[in-house]
Amino acid sequence: MVAGIDGSQEAIHAALWAADEALHRNVPLRLVCVTKPKYPSTEEYYEDVRRARASLRLAQNAIEATGKQVKIETDVVAGLPGTALVAASWDAVMVCVGSVGIGRYARSILGSTAAYVAENAQCTVAIIRPPDEGQPEDINWILVAVTDAPDNDAVVEHAMSEAQLRHAPVLALGDSRDREKLQRKVEMWKQRFPDVHVYPVAGEADVADFLRKHRERVQLAVIGAAEAGEAERIVGSYYRGIVHHAGSSVIIVRSRASGTD
């Protein structure tokens, strides 16, 4: 399990989220901070490395303060952040990065590093939004589309596992043209995960469109690798504590063997 660290509160929040994943999977959590690939002086190099190590300490301290018994490894890597995290993905079950929207355009909303990792990583990727300040403590869904795509069973299974881990209900989107088929699939998943509450929603099986049209609180959307380009729309715009439209953290499920997981 890899979490990208850059000294921001968003990255620490993402690392705390990743710690739950690592503990659940019984794997170490590797915190990675990326420094510049080259420097004009040795003084700037040592200062950047010092900042990176300090950022890693802050993230590690935050995780350890929770009391969770997860093994933590830290690493300072030189290079471009996106490229370095994609390289780390070859040996990871998941790469987790934080994201916060800061501009009008999708790449600014998601962040160039998160967008690059989402589309190029060799494993599953989680892009974690900061908590929405001032939002009511009501139902906080996990969202997934139930389709006939070749990788959909793996995507839905991942969503159900996250719901089980985070004690959350699932909204299962399906095509309104075949409500009975959606209901059959939902019943199958309920049997496999009897402690997870699943609610079918027949309409368009499009996660990004659902978030754009509805105001339900969604903590996490789970999509397949083929939809990685939709991550910008799913994460949504978030600026100075104001949510401009509904959005959520997102997991892009991917396996090395088939491009999906």
Side-chain angles (χ1 to χ4, degrees), residues 113-174:
T113 296
Y116 184 84
V117 173
E119 295 184 14
N120 294 281
Q122 299 299 309
C123 67
T124 294
V125 174
I127 302 170
I128 305 303
R129 279 170 57 106
D132 295 340
E133 297 177 6
Q135 294 296 303
E137 291 296 325
D138 54 4
I139 295 174
N140 208 352
W141 300 93
I142 288 177
L143 184 64
V144 67
V146 180
T147 71
D148 292 324
D151 66 335
N152 188 247
D153 282 353
V155 173
V156 177
E157 182 175 16
H158 199 119
M160 297 293 287
S161 295
E162 289 293 336
Q164 193 173 56
L165 171 63
R166 302 184 187 281
H167 308 289
V170 173
L171 281 177
L173 307 182

Short mmCIF file of all heavy atoms in Angstrom, two decimals, residues 113-174:
data_model
loop_
_atom_site.label_atom_id
_atom_site.label_comp_id
_atom_site.label_asym_id
_atom_site.label_seq_id
_atom_site.Cartn_x
_atom_site.Cartn_y
_atom_site.Cartn_z
N THR A 113 -0.86 15.59 -10.59
CA THR A 113 -0.28 14.35 -10.10
C THR A 113 -1.33 13.27 -9.97
O THR A 113 -1.17 12.14 -10.45
CB THR A 113 0.42 14.58 -8.76
OG1 THR A 113 1.52 15.48 -8.94
CG2 THR A 113 0.96 13.26 -8.19
N ALA A 114 -2.45 13.59 -9.32
CA ALA A 114 -3.51 12.61 -9.13
C ALA A 114 -4.07 12.13 -10.47
O ALA A 114 -4.33 10.94 -10.66
CB ALA A 114 -4.63 13.20 -8.27
N ALA A 115 -4.25 13.07 -11.41
CA ALA A 115 -4.77 12.69 -12.72
C ALA A 115 -3.82 11.75 -13.44
O ALA A 115 -4.24 10.75 -14.04
CB ALA A 115 -5.01 13.94 -13.57
N TYR A 116 -2.52 12.04 -13.37
CA TYR A 116 -1.53 11.20 -14.04
C TYR A 116 -1.50 9.81 -13.42
O TYR A 116 -1.47 8.79 -14.13
CB TYR A 116 -0.15 11.85 -13.96
CG TYR A 116 0.93 11.09 -14.70
CD1 TYR A 116 1.12 11.28 -16.07
CD2 TYR A 116 1.74 10.17 -14.05
CE1 TYR A 116 2.09 10.56 -16.76
CE2 TYR A 116 2.72 9.46 -14.72
CZ TYR A 116 2.89 9.66 -16.07
OH TYR A 116 3.86 8.95 -16.76
N VAL A 117 -1.52 9.74 -12.10
CA VAL A 117 -1.49 8.45 -11.42
C VAL A 117 -2.76 7.65 -11.73
O VAL A 117 -2.70 6.45 -12.00
CB VAL A 117 -1.32 8.64 -9.90
CG1 VAL A 117 -1.45 7.31 -9.16
CG2 VAL A 117 0.04 9.27 -9.59
N ALA A 118 -3.90 8.33 -11.74
CA ALA A 118 -5.17 7.64 -12.02
C ALA A 118 -5.15 6.94 -13.36
O ALA A 118 -5.66 5.83 -13.51
CB ALA A 118 -6.32 8.64 -11.97
N GLU A 119 -4.54 7.56 -14.36
CA GLU A 119 -4.59 7.02 -15.71
C GLU A 119 -3.42 6.11 -16.06
O GLU A 119 -3.49 5.36 -17.03
CB GLU A 119 -4.67 8.17 -16.70
CG GLU A 119 -5.96 8.97 -16.57
CD GLU A 119 -6.10 10.06 -17.63
OE1 GLU A 119 -5.32 10.03 -18.61
OE2 GLU A 119 -6.96 10.93 -17.47
N ASN A 120 -2.34 6.16 -15.25
CA ASN A 120 -1.13 5.42 -15.64
C ASN A 120 -0.64 4.39 -14.63
O ASN A 120 0.26 3.61 -14.95
CB ASN A 120 0.00 6.41 -15.93
CG ASN A 120 -0.28 7.28 -17.14
OD1 ASN A 120 -0.12 6.85 -18.28
ND2 ASN A 120 -0.72 8.51 -16.89
N ALA A 121 -1.19 4.37 -13.44
CA ALA A 121 -0.71 3.43 -12.42
C ALA A 121 -0.95 1.99 -12.85
O ALA A 121 -1.86 1.69 -13.63
CB ALA A 121 -1.39 3.69 -11.09
N GLN A 122 -0.14 1.08 -12.32
CA GLN A 122 -0.24 -0.33 -12.64
C GLN A 122 -1.04 -1.11 -11.61
O GLN A 122 -1.11 -2.34 -11.68
CB GLN A 122 1.17 -0.93 -12.75
CG GLN A 122 2.02 -0.29 -13.83
CD GLN A 122 1.41 -0.47 -15.21
OE1 GLN A 122 1.06 -1.57 -15.61
NE2 GLN A 122 1.26 0.63 -15.93
N CYS A 123 -1.66 -0.40 -10.68
CA CYS A 123 -2.49 -1.05 -9.67
C CYS A 123 -3.71 -0.16 -9.41
O CYS A 123 -3.87 0.90 -10.02
CB CYS A 123 -1.70 -1.28 -8.38
SG CYS A 123 -1.24 0.25 -7.52
N THR A 124 -4.54 -0.58 -8.50
CA THR A 124 -5.69 0.22 -8.10
C THR A 124 -5.24 1.54 -7.49
O THR A 124 -4.23 1.60 -6.79
CB THR A 124 -6.55 -0.58 -7.11
OG1 THR A 124 -7.09 -1.72 -7.79
CG2 THR A 124 -7.67 0.24 -6.53
N VAL A 125 -5.98 2.61 -7.78
CA VAL A 125 -5.65 3.95 -7.30
C VAL A 125 -6.82 4.52 -6.51
O VAL A 125 -7.98 4.39 -6.92
CB VAL A 125 -5.32 4.90 -8.48
CG1 VAL A 125 -5.11 6.33 -7.99
CG2 VAL A 125 -4.10 4.40 -9.24
N ALA A 126 -6.53 5.14 -5.37
CA ALA A 126 -7.54 5.86 -4.60
C ALA A 126 -7.17 7.34 -4.56
O ALA A 126 -6.03 7.68 -4.22
CB ALA A 126 -7.63 5.30 -3.18
N ILE A 127 -8.11 8.20 -4.94
CA ILE A 127 -7.92 9.65 -4.85
C ILE A 127 -8.90 10.14 -3.80
O ILE A 127 -10.12 10.04 -3.96
CB ILE A 127 -8.19 10.33 -6.21
CG1 ILE A 127 -7.27 9.76 -7.28
CG2 ILE A 127 -8.00 11.84 -6.09
CD1 ILE A 127 -7.61 10.19 -8.68
N ILE A 128 -8.36 10.66 -2.70
CA ILE A 128 -9.16 10.93 -1.52
C ILE A 128 -9.37 12.43 -1.34
O ILE A 128 -8.42 13.20 -1.21
CB ILE A 128 -8.49 10.34 -0.26
CG1 ILE A 128 -8.24 8.84 -0.46
CG2 ILE A 128 -9.36 10.58 0.97
CD1 ILE A 128 -9.47 8.02 -0.78
N ARG A 129 -10.63 12.83 -1.34
CA ARG A 129 -10.99 14.22 -1.09
C ARG A 129 -10.84 14.55 0.39
O ARG A 129 -11.01 13.67 1.25
CB ARG A 129 -12.46 14.45 -1.46
CG ARG A 129 -12.73 14.67 -2.92
CD ARG A 129 -14.22 14.64 -3.18
NE ARG A 129 -14.95 15.63 -2.40
CZ ARG A 129 -15.47 16.75 -2.92
NH1 ARG A 129 -15.31 17.02 -4.19
NH2 ARG A 129 -16.14 17.59 -2.17
N PRO A 130 -10.60 15.80 0.72
CA PRO A 130 -10.66 16.20 2.13
C PRO A 130 -12.10 16.15 2.61
O PRO A 130 -13.03 16.21 1.80
CB PRO A 130 -10.13 17.64 2.12
CG PRO A 130 -10.42 18.13 0.74
CD PRO A 130 -10.28 16.93 -0.17
N PRO A 131 -12.31 16.03 3.92
CA PRO A 131 -13.70 16.01 4.42
C PRO A 131 -14.39 17.33 4.12
O PRO A 131 -13.78 18.39 4.15
CB PRO A 131 -13.53 15.78 5.93
CG PRO A 131 -12.12 16.20 6.23
CD PRO A 131 -11.32 15.93 5.00
N ASP A 132 -15.67 17.26 3.79
CA ASP A 132 -16.46 18.46 3.51
C ASP A 132 -16.87 19.12 4.81
O ASP A 132 -17.65 18.56 5.59
CB ASP A 132 -17.71 18.10 2.69
CG ASP A 132 -17.35 17.57 1.31
OD1 ASP A 132 -16.22 17.83 0.86
OD2 ASP A 132 -18.20 16.90 0.69
N GLU A 133 -16.35 20.31 5.05
CA GLU A 133 -16.64 21.01 6.30
C GLU A 133 -18.10 21.47 6.32
O GLU A 133 -18.64 21.95 5.34
CB GLU A 133 -15.71 22.22 6.45
CG GLU A 133 -14.24 21.83 6.54
CD GLU A 133 -13.33 23.04 6.60
OE1 GLU A 133 -13.87 24.16 6.69
OE2 GLU A 133 -12.11 22.87 6.57
N GLY A 134 -18.72 21.33 7.51
CA GLY A 134 -20.06 21.84 7.69
C GLY A 134 -21.16 21.00 7.10
O GLY A 134 -22.32 21.41 7.08
N GLN A 135 -20.82 19.80 6.57
CA GLN A 135 -21.85 18.95 6.00
C GLN A 135 -22.54 18.14 7.09
O GLN A 135 -21.91 17.74 8.07
CB GLN A 135 -21.23 17.99 4.97
CG GLN A 135 -20.68 18.69 3.75
CD GLN A 135 -21.78 19.38 2.97
OE1 GLN A 135 -22.75 18.76 2.55
NE2 GLN A 135 -21.64 20.68 2.75
N PRO A 136 -23.84 17.89 6.97
CA PRO A 136 -24.57 17.14 8.01
C PRO A 136 -24.08 15.70 8.08
O PRO A 136 -23.67 15.11 7.08
CB PRO A 136 -26.03 17.21 7.53
CG PRO A 136 -25.94 17.44 6.05
CD PRO A 136 -24.71 18.29 5.86
N GLU A 137 -24.17 15.13 9.28
CA GLU A 137 -23.72 13.75 9.48
C GLU A 137 -24.86 12.78 9.14
O GLU A 137 -25.42 12.11 10.00
CB GLU A 137 -23.26 13.57 10.94
CG GLU A 137 -21.98 14.32 11.27
CD GLU A 137 -20.80 13.82 10.47
OE1 GLU A 137 -20.73 12.60 10.20
OE2 GLU A 137 -19.94 14.64 10.13
N ASP A 138 -25.24 12.74 7.87
CA ASP A 138 -26.28 11.81 7.46
C ASP A 138 -25.65 10.63 6.73
O ASP A 138 -24.45 10.40 6.82
CB ASP A 138 -27.34 12.52 6.60
CG ASP A 138 -26.70 13.24 5.40
OD1 ASP A 138 -25.48 13.10 5.22
OD2 ASP A 138 -27.44 13.92 4.67
N ILE A 139 -26.45 9.89 5.98
CA ILE A 139 -25.95 8.72 5.27
C ILE A 139 -24.85 9.13 4.30
O ILE A 139 -24.96 10.13 3.59
CB ILE A 139 -27.09 8.02 4.51
CG1 ILE A 139 -28.10 7.45 5.52
CG2 ILE A 139 -26.56 6.89 3.63
CD1 ILE A 139 -29.34 6.86 4.86
N ASN A 140 -23.78 8.38 4.29
CA ASN A 140 -22.62 8.69 3.45
C ASN A 140 -22.34 7.46 2.58
O ASN A 140 -21.71 6.51 3.02
CB ASN A 140 -21.42 9.03 4.33
CG ASN A 140 -20.46 9.97 3.64
OD1 ASN A 140 -20.59 10.28 2.46
ND2 ASN A 140 -19.47 10.44 4.38
N TRP A 141 -22.82 7.50 1.35
CA TRP A 141 -22.88 6.32 0.50
C TRP A 141 -21.54 5.94 -0.14
O TRP A 141 -20.65 6.77 -0.28
CB TRP A 141 -23.85 6.56 -0.64
CG TRP A 141 -25.25 6.84 -0.22
CD1 TRP A 141 -25.81 8.07 0.00
CD2 TRP A 141 -26.28 5.88 0.04
NE1 TRP A 141 -27.12 7.93 0.37
CE2 TRP A 141 -27.44 6.59 0.40
CE3 TRP A 141 -26.33 4.49 -0.01
CZ2 TRP A 141 -28.64 5.96 0.72
CZ3 TRP A 141 -27.52 3.86 0.30
CH2 TRP A 141 -28.66 4.58 0.67
N ILE A 142 -21.47 4.68 -0.56
CA ILE A 142 -20.48 4.24 -1.53
C ILE A 142 -21.23 3.97 -2.83
O ILE A 142 -22.30 3.35 -2.82
CB ILE A 142 -19.71 3.00 -1.04
CG1 ILE A 142 -18.77 3.42 0.10
CG2 ILE A 142 -18.95 2.32 -2.17
CD1 ILE A 142 -18.01 2.29 0.73
N LEU A 143 -20.68 4.48 -3.93
CA LEU A 143 -21.39 4.49 -5.21
C LEU A 143 -20.66 3.63 -6.22
O LEU A 143 -19.44 3.73 -6.38
CB LEU A 143 -21.48 5.93 -5.72
CG LEU A 143 -22.25 6.21 -7.00
CD1 LEU A 143 -23.72 5.87 -6.84
CD2 LEU A 143 -22.09 7.69 -7.38
N VAL A 144 -21.41 2.78 -6.94
CA VAL A 144 -20.82 1.94 -7.97
C VAL A 144 -21.87 1.67 -9.05
O VAL A 144 -23.07 1.64 -8.77
CB VAL A 144 -20.30 0.61 -7.37
CG1 VAL A 144 -21.44 -0.26 -6.86
CG2 VAL A 144 -19.42 -0.15 -8.35
N ALA A 145 -21.42 1.53 -10.28
CA ALA A 145 -22.32 1.16 -11.39
C ALA A 145 -22.25 -0.34 -11.61
O ALA A 145 -21.17 -0.93 -11.62
CB ALA A 145 -21.93 1.91 -12.67
N VAL A 146 -23.41 -0.96 -11.78
CA VAL A 146 -23.50 -2.40 -12.07
C VAL A 146 -23.81 -2.54 -13.55
O VAL A 146 -24.89 -2.18 -14.01
CB VAL A 146 -24.60 -3.06 -11.22
CG1 VAL A 146 -24.69 -4.54 -11.53
CG2 VAL A 146 -24.32 -2.84 -9.73
N THR A 147 -22.84 -3.05 -14.31
CA THR A 147 -22.95 -3.11 -15.77
C THR A 147 -22.53 -4.48 -16.28
O THR A 147 -22.22 -5.39 -15.49
CB THR A 147 -22.05 -2.03 -16.41
OG1 THR A 147 -20.68 -2.41 -16.26
CG2 THR A 147 -22.28 -0.66 -15.80
N ASP A 148 -22.49 -4.60 -17.59
CA ASP A 148 -22.02 -5.85 -18.21
C ASP A 148 -20.56 -5.75 -18.66
O ASP A 148 -20.09 -6.62 -19.41
CB ASP A 148 -22.89 -6.18 -19.43
CG ASP A 148 -24.31 -6.56 -19.02
OD1 ASP A 148 -24.47 -7.21 -17.97
OD2 ASP A 148 -25.25 -6.21 -19.76
N ALA A 149 -19.85 -4.72 -18.24
CA ALA A 149 -18.44 -4.58 -18.62
C ALA A 149 -17.63 -5.77 -18.10
O ALA A 149 -17.95 -6.33 -17.04
CB ALA A 149 -17.87 -3.29 -18.06
N PRO A 150 -16.58 -6.19 -18.83
CA PRO A 150 -15.81 -7.38 -18.44
C PRO A 150 -15.23 -7.30 -17.03
O PRO A 150 -15.10 -8.32 -16.35
CB PRO A 150 -14.70 -7.44 -19.50
CG PRO A 150 -15.25 -6.72 -20.67
CD PRO A 150 -16.12 -5.64 -20.12
N ASP A 151 -14.87 -6.09 -16.59
CA ASP A 151 -14.24 -5.94 -15.29
C ASP A 151 -15.22 -5.57 -14.19
O ASP A 151 -14.82 -5.32 -13.05
CB ASP A 151 -13.14 -4.88 -15.35
CG ASP A 151 -13.70 -3.49 -15.62
OD1 ASP A 151 -14.80 -3.39 -16.21
OD2 ASP A 151 -13.04 -2.50 -15.25
N ASN A 152 -16.54 -5.54 -14.50
CA ASN A 152 -17.48 -4.97 -13.53
C ASN A 152 -17.60 -5.78 -12.26
O ASN A 152 -17.78 -5.21 -11.17
CB ASN A 152 -18.85 -4.79 -14.18
CG ASN A 152 -19.80 -4.01 -13.27
OD1 ASN A 152 -20.79 -4.56 -12.79
ND2 ASN A 152 -19.50 -2.74 -13.04
N ASP A 153 -17.51 -7.10 -12.34
CA ASP A 153 -17.60 -7.90 -11.12
C ASP A 153 -16.50 -7.52 -10.14
O ASP A 153 -16.74 -7.41 -8.93
CB ASP A 153 -17.51 -9.39 -11.44
CG ASP A 153 -18.82 -9.95 -11.97
OD1 ASP A 153 -19.83 -9.21 -11.98
OD2 ASP A 153 -18.84 -11.12 -12.40
N ALA A 154 -15.29 -7.30 -10.64
CA ALA A 154 -14.18 -6.91 -9.77
C ALA A 154 -14.42 -5.52 -9.18
O ALA A 154 -14.10 -5.26 -8.01
CB ALA A 154 -12.87 -6.93 -10.54
N VAL A 155 -14.99 -4.62 -9.98
CA VAL A 155 -15.27 -3.26 -9.50
C VAL A 155 -16.33 -3.29 -8.40
O VAL A 155 -16.17 -2.68 -7.34
CB VAL A 155 -15.73 -2.36 -10.67
CG1 VAL A 155 -16.20 -1.00 -10.16
CG2 VAL A 155 -14.59 -2.18 -11.67
N VAL A 156 -17.41 -4.03 -8.64
CA VAL A 156 -18.48 -4.10 -7.64
C VAL A 156 -17.98 -4.81 -6.38
O VAL A 156 -18.29 -4.39 -5.25
CB VAL A 156 -19.72 -4.82 -8.21
CG1 VAL A 156 -20.80 -4.94 -7.13
CG2 VAL A 156 -20.26 -4.05 -9.41
N GLU A 157 -17.19 -5.85 -6.55
CA GLU A 157 -16.64 -6.55 -5.37
C GLU A 157 -15.78 -5.61 -4.54
O GLU A 157 -15.84 -5.62 -3.30
CB GLU A 157 -15.81 -7.76 -5.81
CG GLU A 157 -15.26 -8.56 -4.64
CD GLU A 157 -14.55 -9.83 -5.06
OE1 GLU A 157 -14.22 -9.96 -6.26
OE2 GLU A 157 -14.34 -10.69 -4.19
N HIS A 158 -15.01 -4.76 -5.21
CA HIS A 158 -14.19 -3.80 -4.47
C HIS A 158 -15.08 -2.82 -3.72
O HIS A 158 -14.81 -2.48 -2.56
CB HIS A 158 -13.26 -3.06 -5.42
CG HIS A 158 -12.10 -2.41 -4.74
ND1 HIS A 158 -10.79 -2.74 -5.00
CD2 HIS A 158 -12.06 -1.45 -3.78
CE1 HIS A 158 -9.99 -2.01 -4.24
NE2 HIS A 158 -10.74 -1.22 -3.49
N ALA A 159 -16.14 -2.34 -4.36
CA ALA A 159 -17.06 -1.42 -3.70
C ALA A 159 -17.70 -2.06 -2.48
O ALA A 159 -17.83 -1.43 -1.42
CB ALA A 159 -18.14 -0.97 -4.69
N MET A 160 -18.08 -3.32 -2.60
CA MET A 160 -18.71 -4.02 -1.48
C MET A 160 -17.73 -4.22 -0.33
O MET A 160 -18.09 -4.09 0.84
CB MET A 160 -19.26 -5.36 -1.95
CG MET A 160 -20.36 -5.26 -3.00
SD MET A 160 -21.88 -4.53 -2.37
CE MET A 160 -22.51 -5.88 -1.36
N SER A 161 -16.48 -4.53 -0.67
CA SER A 161 -15.45 -4.69 0.35
C SER A 161 -15.21 -3.37 1.09
O SER A 161 -15.02 -3.36 2.32
CB SER A 161 -14.15 -5.19 -0.28
OG SER A 161 -14.31 -6.49 -0.81
N GLU A 162 -15.20 -2.26 0.34
CA GLU A 162 -15.03 -0.95 0.98
C GLU A 162 -16.22 -0.64 1.89
O GLU A 162 -16.05 -0.10 2.99
CB GLU A 162 -14.89 0.14 -0.08
CG GLU A 162 -13.58 0.12 -0.83
CD GLU A 162 -12.38 0.46 0.04
OE1 GLU A 162 -12.56 1.15 1.08
OE2 GLU A 162 -11.26 0.05 -0.31
N ALA A 163 -17.42 -0.98 1.44
CA ALA A 163 -18.60 -0.75 2.27
C ALA A 163 -18.53 -1.55 3.56
O ALA A 163 -18.89 -1.07 4.64
CB ALA A 163 -19.86 -1.13 1.49
N GLN A 164 -18.05 -2.78 3.46
CA GLN A 164 -17.90 -3.63 4.64
C GLN A 164 -16.85 -3.04 5.59
O GLN A 164 -17.07 -2.98 6.80
CB GLN A 164 -17.48 -5.03 4.18
CG GLN A 164 -17.58 -6.11 5.23
CD GLN A 164 -17.31 -7.47 4.62
OE1 GLN A 164 -16.29 -7.71 4.00
NE2 GLN A 164 -18.27 -8.38 4.79
N LEU A 165 -15.74 -2.59 5.04
CA LEU A 165 -14.67 -2.02 5.85
C LEU A 165 -15.10 -0.74 6.54
O LEU A 165 -14.79 -0.51 7.71
CB LEU A 165 -13.43 -1.76 4.97
CG LEU A 165 -12.28 -0.98 5.60
CD1 LEU A 165 -11.69 -1.73 6.79
CD2 LEU A 165 -11.20 -0.69 4.57
N ARG A 166 -15.83 0.10 5.82
CA ARG A 166 -16.15 1.45 6.31
C ARG A 166 -17.58 1.57 6.83
O ARG A 166 -18.05 2.68 7.12
CB ARG A 166 -15.86 2.47 5.21
CG ARG A 166 -14.40 2.37 4.77
CD ARG A 166 -13.95 3.37 3.76
NE ARG A 166 -12.58 3.04 3.34
CZ ARG A 166 -11.48 3.33 4.04
NH1 ARG A 166 -11.58 3.98 5.17
NH2 ARG A 166 -10.29 2.97 3.59
N HIS A 167 -18.27 0.42 6.95
CA HIS A 167 -19.62 0.36 7.52
C HIS A 167 -20.54 1.37 6.83
O HIS A 167 -21.22 2.18 7.47
CB HIS A 167 -19.57 0.63 9.03
CG HIS A 167 -18.60 -0.24 9.76
ND1 HIS A 167 -18.82 -1.60 9.96
CD2 HIS A 167 -17.38 0.02 10.32
CE1 HIS A 167 -17.80 -2.12 10.62
NE2 HIS A 167 -16.91 -1.16 10.84
N ALA A 168 -20.57 1.30 5.51
CA ALA A 168 -21.35 2.24 4.70
C ALA A 168 -22.30 1.48 3.79
O ALA A 168 -22.01 0.36 3.36
CB ALA A 168 -20.42 3.11 3.87
N PRO A 169 -23.44 2.07 3.45
CA PRO A 169 -24.35 1.46 2.47
C PRO A 169 -23.90 1.75 1.05
O PRO A 169 -23.11 2.67 0.81
CB PRO A 169 -25.69 2.14 2.78
CG PRO A 169 -25.29 3.50 3.27
CD PRO A 169 -23.99 3.31 4.02
N VAL A 170 -24.40 0.96 0.12
CA VAL A 170 -23.99 1.06 -1.29
C VAL A 170 -25.19 1.47 -2.15
O VAL A 170 -26.28 0.90 -2.03
CB VAL A 170 -23.43 -0.29 -1.79
CG1 VAL A 170 -23.17 -0.25 -3.30
CG2 VAL A 170 -22.16 -0.65 -1.04
N LEU A 171 -24.96 2.45 -3.02
CA LEU A 171 -25.89 2.77 -4.09
C LEU A 171 -25.39 2.08 -5.35
O LEU A 171 -24.30 2.37 -5.83
CB LEU A 171 -25.97 4.28 -4.33
CG LEU A 171 -26.80 5.11 -3.36
CD1 LEU A 171 -26.69 6.58 -3.72
CD2 LEU A 171 -28.26 4.66 -3.37
N ALA A 172 -26.19 1.15 -5.89
CA ALA A 172 -25.81 0.39 -7.08
C ALA A 172 -26.59 0.93 -8.28
O ALA A 172 -27.80 0.71 -8.38
CB ALA A 172 -26.08 -1.09 -6.88
N LEU A 173 -25.89 1.63 -9.16
CA LEU A 173 -26.53 2.21 -10.34
C LEU A 173 -26.64 1.18 -11.44
O LEU A 173 -25.71 0.42 -11.69
CB LEU A 173 -25.72 3.40 -10.85
CG LEU A 173 -25.36 4.50 -9.84
CD1 LEU A 173 -24.59 5.60 -10.55
CD2 LEU A 173 -26.60 5.04 -9.15
N GLY A 174 -27.79 1.17 -12.12
CA GLY A 174 -27.98 0.24 -13.22
C GLY A 174 -28.84 0.83 -14.31
O GLY A 174 -29.46 1.89 -14.15
#
